[in-house]
Amino acid sequence: MPARVLVIGLDAAEATLLERWAAAGELPAFARLTERGAVARLENSLETLPGAIWPELTTGISGGKTAQFYHPRQLHTGEASLRPLEPDEVSAFHYYWTRAAAAGRRVAVVDQPQTIIHPGQNGIMLTEWGLHDRNFATASDPPELLDEIRERWGDHPVASCDMHGHTQAGYERLLESLLVGAERKTEMLLDLLEREDWDLFAGNFGETHCVGHQFWHFLDPRQPGHDANAPAELRDAVKSVYRRVGEGVGAVVDAAGPETTVLVVASHGMGTYVGGSQLLREFLVRLGLGSGSGSAASVRSRLPAPVKDVLRRVVPGRARSRLQEAAGSLPRPLESPHTKAVDLPNNRCGAIRLNLRGREPFGAVEPGEAATLVAEIRRALLELVDPDTGEAVVARAVTAEEAFGRDHHPDVPDLMVVFNTDIGQITAARSERVGLVSSGLYDPHIPRSGDHTVESRLWATGPGIAPGVRLPDGNVLDLAPTVLALLGIPLPDDLDGRPFAGVAPST
């Protein structure tokens, strides 16, 4: 038996499409998984800290405790500038495979997103060979494994899926590279799987993530920019990549054998890029919470974007900084003691953090005023409507304490904002309090038409798992304890998930 437990991740694959195309006979591997095993919908962090999804899957620990939610640019308590999450700030001891290796199990781990290597574990590990998110480094343990992989398969043909030039030829090259990448990943997984009898084998396909971000407007007629006359290969790009990845999943599952417990996880989904969070910076300035709260901020916030660009170019450096502070447009607004609140990057959700005295280096908000200010910001958010239809732009806003309790990590944003996904793309909003706030979505440096949805799934097959069953909903936090329970490892006290009933024994 090549593996006792096999875990296959599908990064940002839209589960509703997998299910629809499997039912139509276009994804045979997923049709077999559904017929032979159990399926469950998983709750997740997509409406609080979306970027915590993979750390939660790989550790079973809530993002509210780890605050690993935007690896490229996070704000850390006690610092005034955004910066990347560093590898030494991530604990490799909490991954389910590290715990399994420490308990004497042989493990093989391939391309789990947003993870680092724990050297010398009982097995092998490869990171960031073929992933959408490249936060740390392409590396392996033992180190010579990466040399061997590069000699045989080279590097993944897609280093960054955003670099296609937004042309038809660029999209065609990207699609072909994703298909080749999925094929090479399958060959690699099969080779590594068959090298020995593993207790745990965990692999992941990242091509589903890239194709969703880049090709969604070819698939979805509701997406602005959809071209019904685009070449068929581009309109079918998402399905083509899902099909190629599905073939890989089927091949790896078959190679593992009927005595293996198989867990296939679609981490989170993909749909039309809705937006909304890009409005928050201007919204906070209009509320008087930026570094500038007087006439300069009011005038600057209503200037057309081309005028702002000209001012940035022609005003000299020191004078520009003073003007930016007065106008509420500092590139690092928490460096001003006049700033009361800032927006933070948080993927599909908005995030707002107070400039709290005693927590931030230049704090302006007294701790006793924080709850009142957060409540006021939330009320103002819920007043925002679409300027054309009058529909609410913000579905809800939750505080860190509401989402994660009083003991949440101090790096978690004070307020997380969920935008309405039923009204189309959000490029403007208005209210009596802030007037009209507008900002486009398209970024030529990150030309994405797809963004994440809340759909997460688990397919489970193997000994003792009833076929054709729809299990009760679980949570992405349940994956790690489920794997540990299947391997007979006592569950650590720090886990927030629990073994999935009907898949693993309770411990």
Side-chain angles (χ1 to χ4, degrees):
M1 179 173 62
R4 181 176 169 188
V5 177
L6 171 65
V7 182
I8 303 177
L10 307 171
D11 191 12
E14 175 57 33
T16 60
L17 291 183
L18 293 171
E19 292 171 334
R20 183 197 310 168
W21 290 335
E26 296 177 287
L27 296 176
F30 287 94
R32 289 196 301 272
L33 287 170
T34 303
E35 294 165 2
R36 298 175 184 177
V39 183
R41 185 181 184 278
L42 305 181
E43 296 178 358
N44 54 44
S45 55
L46 266 289
E47 294 195 338
T48 50
L49 300 175
I53 186 74
W54 274 106
E56 290 191 344
L57 279 162
T58 56
T59 67
I61 299 173
S62 166
K65 292 180 179 178
T66 65
Q68 296 172 19
F69 64 91
Y70 199 83
H71 291 61
R73 289 188 302 125
Q74 279 196 215
L75 185 70
H76 300 259
T77 298
E79 301 177 11
S81 300
L82 299 169
R83 64 169 174 81
L85 194 67
E86 299 294 338
D88 61 6
E89 295 172 315
V90 178
S91 172
F93 296 102
H94 293 114
Y95 302 136
Y96 62 79
W97 56 84
T98 307
R99 297 185 194 267
R105 308 306 192 268
R106 286 289 287 172
V107 303
V109 184
V110 180
D111 265 0
Q112 299 300 304
Q114 298 170 335
T115 59
I116 62 172
I117 287 177
H118 179 57
Q121 70 180 15
N122 188 24
I124 60 173
M125 185 171 181
L126 173 70
T127 59
E128 298 192 9
W129 179 82
L131 291 178
H132 170 269
D133 292 302
R134 307 288 185 97
N135 299 122
F136 302 121
T138 304
S140 71
D141 185 55
E144 57 268 23
L145 175 64
L146 179 57
D147 295 332
E148 178 188 345
I149 284 170
R150 281 177 164 158
E151 183 177 350
R152 181 167 177 182
W153 290 286
D155 288 318
H156 193 281
V158 180
S160 172
C161 60
D162 292 312
M163 306 299 289
H164 51 69
H166 206 247
T167 65
Q168 179 176 317
Y171 281 116
E172 290 170 349
R173 286 193 298 270
L174 175 59
L175 174 58
E176 178 60 25
S177 296
L178 290 172
L179 293 171
V180 171
E183 190 171 306
R184 290 183 189 172
K185 175 64 70 66
T186 298
E187 294 173 359
M188 181 193 304
L189 293 175
L190 290 170
D191 178 78
L192 297 175
L193 176 65
E194 294 169 356
R195 290 190 180 191
E196 64 176 274
D197 288 341
W198 305 100
D199 293 299
L200 169 64
F201 189 97
N204 181 77
F205 287 91
E207 294 80 8
T208 46
H209 197 150
C210 285
V211 76
H213 273 319
Q214 303 300 329
F215 290 86
W216 201 262
H217 61 293
F218 291 111
L219 171 72
D220 190 348
R222 298 166 299 177
Q223 215 283 337
H226 176 73
D227 181 3
N229 297 315
E233 66 172 334
L234 297 183
R235 286 185 279 116
D236 291 338
V238 175
K239 185 185 293 186
S240 297
V241 171
Y242 282 21
R243 184 183 295 119
R244 184 68 57 87
V245 167
E247 291 167 356
V249 171
V252 175
V253 170
D254 288 345
E259 298 304 310
T260 298
T261 299
V262 176
L263 306 176
V264 177
V265 182
S267 60
H268 51 322
M270 192 69 69
T272 290
Y273 185 18
V274 172
S277 60
Q278 82 279 9
L279 304 177
L280 289 181
R281 178 161 298 187
E282 201 66 53
F283 164 82
L284 292 171
V285 170
R286 298 282 184 91
L287 285 181
L289 302 179
S291 59
S293 56
S295 58
S298 178
V299 171
R300 199 278 310 168
S301 69
R302 289 167 171 79
L303 288 175
V307 176
K308 296 177 187 176
D309 291 339
V310 170
L311 288 174
R312 276 192 288 267
R313 289 196 299 269
V314 302
V315 178
R318 185 172 295 180
R320 183 167 63 248
S321 295
R322 290 196 298 269
L323 180 60
Q324 286 176 326
E325 182 170 17
S329 60
L330 284 169
R332 294 182 292 276
L334 280 179
E335 292 184 353
S336 169
H338 304 294
T339 299
K340 292 185 177 180
V342 298
D343 68 304
L344 300 178
N346 192 28
N347 288 290
R348 72 186 294 271
C349 295
I352 295 172
R353 186 173 177 90
L354 302 186
N355 193 15
L356 192 64
R357 186 163 296 173
R359 184 181 69 180
E360 320 302 344
F362 305 96
V365 177
E366 296 291 344
E369 302 170 349
T372 300
L373 182 55
V374 167
E376 187 63 24
I377 294 171
R378 175 151 52 184
R379 279 194 292 272
L381 284 166
L382 295 175
E383 292 169 1
L384 293 172
V385 299
D386 182 280
D388 296 323
T389 67
E391 294 180 90
V393 166
V394 174
R396 58 193 162 279
V398 297
T399 68
E401 184 171 333
E402 289 167 349
F404 304 113
R406 284 192 168 188
D407 296 330
H408 62 80
H409 195 287
D411 289 357
V412 172
D414 294 305
L415 195 62
M416 290 151 282
V417 187
V418 182
F419 290 89
N420 191 343
T421 58
D422 298 328
I423 61 174
Q425 288 195 330
I426 300 171
T427 58
R430 65 169 175 81
S431 72
E432 290 187 12
R433 196 186 312 212
V434 302
L436 178 68
V437 180
S438 63
S439 178
L441 282 178
Y442 180 74
D443 183 340
H445 302 294
I446 309 178
R448 301 175 183 177
S449 58
D451 198 15
H452 298 298
T453 71
V454 300
E455 297 292 342
S456 299
R457 290 289 189 281
L458 171 71
W459 291 264
T461 67
I465 298 175
V469 172
R470 193 79 183 194
L471 296 172
D473 289 355
N475 194 291
V476 296
L477 294 164
D478 298 335
L479 177 65
T482 297
V483 173
L484 295 176
L486 286 166
L487 294 171
I489 298 172
L491 300 186
D493 293 335
D494 59 358
L495 296 184
D496 293 307
R498 62 186 187 277
F500 218 107
V503 176
S506 58
T507 57

